[in-house]
Amino acid sequence: MTSPASDGDARCLRATAPELGLGAFTDIPVPARVKVMGAMRVAPNATVAAWINQCVELCQPDGLYYCDGSEAERQELFAQGVKDGIFIKLNQEKLPGCFLHRSNTNDVARTEQCTFICTPNQDNAGPTNNWMESKAAYDKLRALYHGCMKGRTMYVVPFVMGPIGSPLAKVGIELTDSLYVAVNMSIMTRMGQVAWQQLGDDDQFTRCLHSVGDCNPDRRFICHFPFDNTIWSFGSGYGGNALLGKKCLALRIASFLGQQQGWLAEHMLLMGATNPQGQTTYVAAAFPSACGKTNFAMMIPPEQYRKAGWKITTLGDDIAWMWVDDQGKLRAINPEAGYFGVVPGTNFETNPNAMHCIARNTIYTNVALLPDGDVWWEGKTAKPPAECIDWTGQKWIVDCGRKAAHPNSRFTAPMINNPVLDQAANDPKGVVISAILFGGRRSSGIPLVFQAFNWVHGVYVGAVAGSETTAAASGAIGVVRRDPMAMLPFIGYNIRDYLTHWLRMGKRMSDAPRVFHVNWFRKGADGKFLWPGFGENMRVLEWIIARTHGHGSAHETPLGWMPGPGDINLDGLDFSTEQFQRAQALNTAELKEEVQGQGELFLKLGGDMPKELVFKREMFIGRI
Ligand code: SAT
Ligand code: MN
């Protein structure tokens, strides 16, 4: 197997799991008063044992539960969760294996204002991250963790991010006092025994310590120590703040490791598109949170495409780890094993595959509960139920003016539930990426699709991408913010070095993916979306695929290469040439506004913006 980083750290690039007998494992010397539970009561090596012991001494839990990742254990944890009021068992005839969780009402989205990159110098974190000096952060959080698990159980959750045996696969261990987090991690990652085996006697693992504490927003800190491969999260039980394998490890810590070792950790879905000739093209697409990555990754093409033999398959819906192989091609894996998707708006029209994913063995967070033990959310059915229990646990009746489900309510579903899971989803070698898409929510000014002129221009297009904010993060909703590569909240180091890293990656590829920008969300004067979206996005994707294979026509514009109405297949769609032109229209005043908006990012970086991107901006201004 190819090493992703010839200049990298070999300890992080374990290719195969060591075959260790149980005899090689180490007992963990926790104090006698701590009740030890779970099937797997050992650590793979003395470093792990010592670290767990230190965290036990700091947090002082009453019990220690070792998760082994088995089905029996999952059932035991759900049963315990129901007893403790953490889970509500849903109607098992309608939703086998499904449970509902209601979070604290102050803890419903990622909190970027409480998220820190903790390093010796502020320059390590750069102008776009909150920064804390590492020692100060450790001191502050150590005081919060001190005794925080008294009366609670600490779950030991060992996990692997990435297909087992992949050169990029990484081991993490999360110590958490949240049973909800432990069970979610068993869906979202390859969790349990398998991680002990992958780690063996290695001391390279991400040390993830998590406590919900008293869930007080004033004492909420999500701290990343990239130089120590450590994450300390306190005060939140919510997804991206608490499932530490996801944004914290697989994006913030991994992006830092990727920069050091020569690979990329990105906020991207991964999908395959197989044409009627049986050729599969793999595409990675970066859209910010709650901008439709899951829908796009599970898209069902329109009927005429299906009849002709087109098929879409999903590798991942949120995160991609990518490296250059020895043929000079960009390869990708999905480090996750499940989907943590936005529920509202999901239905059999918008995303039938997601509906299949969440029909069993799924955790629903902050949706509404129906009288028969089924669940409901805004957009599930055209007609709302007469009554239900809303996401806060209060009685809800139709027309009461409140939302029944929280706008950022979520499902946690195993990827094996996906009827269109790509056959390479567990392949340690990953897949070759032919196209990279950037996009976001833009109601005005930005066309449906264009192609960047080349890699450097593509990096520019990704770097300046903007999007209207959503409910996935706390704060104002609907304001355009620059979100470079959809990674603004997830770059674990200085954005200057991140953009330079992207530019350098291009130089290492002999056949770099083509880069595109899409916007499914442009609206007309009537406030309605100009493009139908969802499955019809297949038409745009078909053009993108044609372009990556060197055919498919386009014309040059100030933004890049754009298809005209004759270049995209609109057959069978009730959509006129004029409507398509409106979706693609460029208007000088809007382009000027856009270039000004992009200036936000250039100002933030000041003289640190890579020169190549400064030139690309000047050339863009020249073309307008
Ligand atoms: O809560 S998560 O950060 O995992 C979801 C998202 O915001 O993309
Ligand atoms: Mn995401």
Side-chain angles (χ1 to χ4, degrees), residues 160-365:
V160 182
M161 300 310 290
I164 302 301
S166 170
L168 285 187
K170 299 270 175 289
V171 174
I173 305 171
E174 179 161 352
L175 305 178
T176 173
D177 56 8
S178 164
L179 181 150
Y180 168 79
V181 165
V183 188
N184 269 272
M185 289 291 287
S186 79
I187 298 175
M188 293 304 296
T189 70
R190 291 152 176 97
M191 190 271 258
Q193 185 82 44
V194 72
W196 274 183
Q197 270 157 6
Q198 171 93 12
L199 189 62
D201 55 8
D202 200 339
D203 60 1
Q204 297 289 303
F205 62 94
T206 308
R207 290 143 174 82
C208 307
L209 179 58
H210 170 251
S211 173
V212 181
D214 55 357
C215 203
N216 179 341
D218 296 333
R219 279 193 293 276
R220 186 168 289 162
F221 295 94
I222 299 95
C223 289
H224 306 72
F225 302 85
F227 290 108
D228 306 337
N229 202 359
T230 292
I231 302 159
W232 279 15
S233 166
F234 189 89
S236 167
Y238 170 77
N241 292 341
L243 312 178
L244 301 184
K246 195 174 178 57
K247 307 296 187 184
C248 301
L249 191 166
L251 288 178
R252 298 196 189 96
I253 295 287
S255 63
F256 169 84
L257 292 174
Q259 195 258 353
Q260 299 215 316
Q261 301 168 354
W263 53 280
L264 291 166
E266 296 298 326
H267 193 204
M268 290 178 175
L269 68 91
L270 291 169
M271 75 197 304
T274 305
N275 70 8
Q277 292 72 47
Q279 180 188 24
T280 303
T281 303
Y282 286 99
V283 171
F287 311 151
S289 302
C291 289
K293 281 200 299 301
T294 307
N295 287 346
F296 191 55
M298 296 180 185
M299 172 173 71
I300 296 188
E303 193 183 352
Q304 74 199 85
Y305 279 81
R306 295 200 305 273
K307 278 199 177 138
W310 280 93
K311 197 172 179 259
I312 295 295
T313 46
T314 317
L315 247 107
D317 78 330
D318 197 38
I319 299 177
W321 286 356
M322 307 193 284
W323 72 98
V324 182
D325 70 9
D326 48 13
Q327 254 90 59
K329 291 187 191 292
L330 191 66
R331 299 194 81 93
I333 53 166
N334 167 18
E336 301 191 279
Y339 309 121
F340 186 66
V342 178
V343 183
T346 306
N347 59 53
F348 279 102
E349 300 240 305
T350 58
N351 193 341
N353 286 324
M355 292 300 283
H356 290 298
C357 287
I358 63 181
R360 57 187 194 281
N361 300 335
T362 292
I363 299 171
Y364 289 90
T365 301

Side-chain angles (χ1 to χ4, degrees), residues 501-538:
H501 181 44
W502 262 86
L503 292 166
R504 286 198 187 137
M505 286 295 286
K507 297 203 180 105
R508 294 178 42 191
M509 287 181 263
S510 55
D511 185 17
R514 307 301 185 267
V515 181
F516 300 81
H517 189 280
V518 296
N519 175 25
W520 318 131
F521 300 95
R522 191 176 196 177
K523 288 179 179 169
D526 58 0
K528 294 204 174 115
F529 291 116
L530 287 173
W531 174 250
F534 300 106
E536 305 301 343
N537 292 337
M538 182 66 222

